[in-house]
Amino acid sequence: MIAGYAQSGYSEEALRLFVDMKRDGERLNRSSFACALSTCAHIAALELGMQLHGRLVKAGYESGSFVGNALLLMYCKCGGIEEACSAFEEIMEKDIVSWNTMIAGYARHGFGKEALKIFESMKAAGVKPNDTTMVGVLSACSHAGLVDRGMEYFYSMTQDYGITANLQHYNCMVDLLGRAGRLDETQKLIRNMPFEPDAATWGALLGASRIHGNTKLAEMAAELIFEMEPENAGMYVLLSNLYAASGRWADVSKMRLKMRDTGVKKVPGCSWLEVQNKIHTFSVGDSCHPDRDKIYAYLEELDLKMKREGYVSSIKLILHDVDEEEKEHMLKYHSEKLAVAYGILSIPAGRPIRVMKNLRVCEDCHNAIKYISKIVGRLIILRDSNRFHHFREGSCSCGDYW
């Protein structure tokens, strides 16, 4: 029942059953711990996951790969990459899942070189990489901008490990080359793929085109995505962002009309964080949180300090043709900024602030949080829909390569 609820997206119900199971005197076994940890990973409930970690240590289950892998995944998905590394070291007999989870975890957190070190250790331990391993390795290269290393791994993995590249591997390469601005090579790779490109392929190309300002290529990729997935709201927003950055407001309006005519609705952005086992959720311009006034006052204070440090709002990102002052106001209260401000006010100094967001973090918030991390001297970890960002002393683990 716990697994059924968890796999169906009913996370709170799954965890409630886990608590009821213990209260009713049932013995918690490896399966129940693994299911509960997977649920914590899904909703990024790190504090609860850490409590479960303590319980399974007492039960003597932490060293086995079955529970150890669930614990490892929970820490990776909840932003605790250092804790994940410790959990990884404690697994006595690491299987292929253990190695793959750690490689993918480092990759998603932006620590590409660390991911490749784990990969080399895996080979040294006599564990043969599989296709999932190579997806993690190529993703690590992509997120860290290690283009030459990524190409070397991609073109040698059949000979070295007997792995035939699948569509996921090719999509990693499209992302790798595209992010690096090598758009001609990216298009050539897509043309020569032994598979039909899917929406993820064209989505990677669209994202790269947006980063490097190639509107023509972005429009081509978007049209192909719309044919495959007409209800993919994210692609409409990506293309709209590109038009807005170029001041093409008529095209932004066309995108809005196309979304309306197709019945596509933009997913509202929201951010959340866990404080004392309670999840606090924020939306843009949130007025519902009980500490709203304190949060807004603190954001105003931070904004003044940031500007003194050189911060300038990225008003080009606003998809509305309004004056600059109004654009700046609209950016100031994005959900991730509200969540970060509340975290600083609520979480004791010395502890990381971990914020989750359901969409990709915007360029302005990414820039602002870098300044905030320097001003307040705190580690701020933000998980967006694509990856983790570790902000410390005014810089981000992604190296602004995202």
Side-chain angles (χ1 to χ4, degrees), residues 17-34:
L17 274 183
F18 179 83
V19 172
D20 290 345
M21 180 180 178
K22 184 175 185 300
R23 186 181 296 129
D24 289 351
E26 294 291 338
R27 182 172 178 271
L28 300 173
N29 60 16
R30 288 179 174 82
S31 294
S32 49
F33 273 116

Side-chain angles (χ1 to χ4, degrees), residues 96-308:
I96 188 70
V97 175
S98 312
W99 292 101
N100 287 351
T101 302
M102 199 67 233
I103 291 168
Y106 270 131
R108 199 173 180 206
H109 280 262
F111 301 114
K113 291 180 181 177
E114 288 79 357
L116 298 185
K117 284 180 183 177
I118 292 289
F119 178 55
E120 295 302 324
S121 298
M122 174 186 176
K123 292 188 293 181
V127 180
K128 186 180 178 182
N130 61 14
D131 56 348
T132 303
T133 310
M134 297 314 298
V135 169
V137 167
L138 294 175
S139 295
C141 292
S142 179
H143 284 308
L146 303 172
V147 182
D148 293 337
R149 292 285 297 276
M151 293 181 72
E152 182 183 328
Y153 283 126
F154 178 73
Y155 288 111
S156 66
M157 67 183 187
T158 301
Q159 181 180 336
D160 291 350
Y161 316 116
I163 299 169
T164 302
N166 61 31
L167 185 56
Q168 269 190 296
H169 299 121
Y170 274 93
N171 285 348
C172 287
M173 290 302 295
V174 170
D175 192 52
L176 174 72
L177 293 169
R179 284 176 188 271
R182 294 160 67 163
L183 297 177
D184 289 339
E185 290 177 68
T186 306
Q187 294 179 80
K188 183 179 178 181
L189 179 72
I190 293 173
R191 285 194 299 269
N192 294 330
M193 280 168 48
F195 313 96
E196 282 297 316
D198 63 2
T201 312
W202 297 120
L205 183 61
L206 173 54
S209 302
R210 184 196 64 81
I211 292 169
H212 298 287
N214 191 324
T215 306
K216 185 177 179 181
L217 190 56
E219 289 174 328
M220 181 273 288
E223 286 303 320
L224 290 165
I225 295 169
F226 296 152
E227 289 177 14
M228 297 178 181
E229 296 181 353
E231 296 181 358
N232 190 329
M235 297 303 110
Y236 287 94
V237 174
L238 270 178
L239 193 54
S240 293
N241 285 341
L242 186 54
Y243 287 145
S246 305
R248 293 171 56 176
W249 299 110
D251 289 316
V252 173
S253 297
K254 286 179 184 177
M255 278 292 103
R256 288 207 197 97
L257 288 172
K258 191 169 183 177
M259 289 179 73
R260 187 192 68 186
D261 294 342
T262 316
V264 177
K265 293 184 179 179
K266 180 184 174 183
V267 178
C270 68
S271 300
W272 64 95
L273 75 165
E274 186 182 11
V275 179
Q276 295 181 343
N277 282 343
K278 184 178 179 182
I279 303 294
H280 296 258
T281 304
F282 299 88
S283 56
V284 61
D286 201 302
S287 59
C288 299
H289 196 276
D291 290 324
R292 173 191 179 279
D293 292 340
K294 187 164 63 171
I295 295 168
Y296 275 67
Y298 185 60
L299 265 183
E300 291 293 338
E301 181 185 327
L302 277 177
D303 191 58
L304 290 173
K305 291 180 179 178
M306 286 156 56
K307 286 177 177 173
R308 283 199 289 268

Side-chain angles (χ1 to χ4, degrees), residues 46-78:
L46 179 62
E47 291 184 18
L48 181 56
M50 292 176 77
Q51 291 172 22
L52 289 174
H53 187 179
R55 287 187 182 180
L56 65 89
V57 168
K58 288 181 181 178
Y61 291 144
E62 82 279 10
S63 61
S65 63
F66 181 64
V67 173
N69 289 341
L71 185 64
L72 177 57
L73 182 65
M74 184 276 292
Y75 278 127
C76 284
K77 286 198 168 185
C78 292

Side-chain angles (χ1 to χ4, degrees), residues 295-337:
I295 295 168
Y296 275 67
Y298 185 60
L299 265 183
E300 291 293 338
E301 181 185 327
L302 277 177
D303 191 58
L304 290 173
K305 291 180 179 178
M306 286 156 56
K307 286 177 177 173
R308 283 199 289 268
E309 291 286 334
Y311 163 75
V312 178
S313 298
S314 301
I315 56 176
K316 65 180 182 179
L317 301 173
I318 295 296
L319 302 184
H320 301 279
D321 191 9
V322 295
D323 63 48
E324 292 192 1
E325 186 176 344
E326 187 172 347
K327 286 182 180 181
E328 189 173 333
H329 181 79
M330 292 166 77
L331 285 171
K332 193 181 293 185
Y333 305 117
H334 274 190
S335 65
E336 52 266 61
K337 288 178 184 170

